[in-house]
Amino acid sequence: MRHFLRSPLTWMVVAELIVVGALVVLASTAITSAITAASRPAPASPALSLPDSPGDATALPDLPGVTPGLRGPLPGLNVDSSFWRSRLAELNREQVVLAQLEWRIVHAAMDAIKRYLETVVLPAIQHAEKSGG
């Protein structure tokens, strides 16, 4: 038992357990704080009230039937099918290019390994068999 307590490996394992335990506690507190922050409603910003100014009396009256035009896309998810069709087609083209690139890399590596085996490893093995036998 005395040898076990004097071993540096024992103390390294104990120190590692302390470090891992501290990291687990830190991660769990970070996760729980993120969950509780997400579940709390966001505070509403206070309404800004403009001070009364003499210019308010000379403001133009609202005209019925006149609505302002759209000033850009509405916030949120774009549900236009042509938008998604073009984005997905672009993504698929890029995926095909990536797959072809991966295929070329894998086959180039396989060819290089095959050449190395045929030109370096096999001649060395054959030479060792001839000289040893």
Side-chain angles (χ1 to χ4, degrees), residues 3-83:
H3 180 69
F4 180 71
L5 290 177
R6 288 185 181 177
S7 173
L9 180 62
T10 303
W11 294 109
M12 289 174 58
V13 169
V14 169
E16 185 69 25
L17 288 174
I18 291 171
V19 168
V20 169
L23 289 175
V24 167
V25 168
L26 181 68
S28 66
T29 56
I31 290 172
T32 55
S33 67
I35 290 172
T36 57
S39 64
R40 276 186 273 146
S45 62
L48 297 175
S49 60
L50 298 174
D52 292 333
S53 64
D56 289 342
T58 62
L60 295 175
D62 291 334
L63 298 175
V66 177
T67 58
L70 293 177
R71 296 186 182 199
L74 296 174
L77 182 63
N78 189 348
V79 292
D80 184 25
S81 63
S82 62
F83 170 80

Side-chain angles (χ1 to χ4, degrees), residues 87-106:
R87 294 302 178 265
L88 291 174
E90 181 181 333
L91 180 66
N92 287 338
R93 279 192 300 271
E94 292 173 0
Q95 181 65 31
V96 167
V97 170
L98 181 63
Q100 290 173 348
L101 178 64
E102 289 173 348
W103 186 257
R104 281 185 272 167
I105 289 172
V106 168

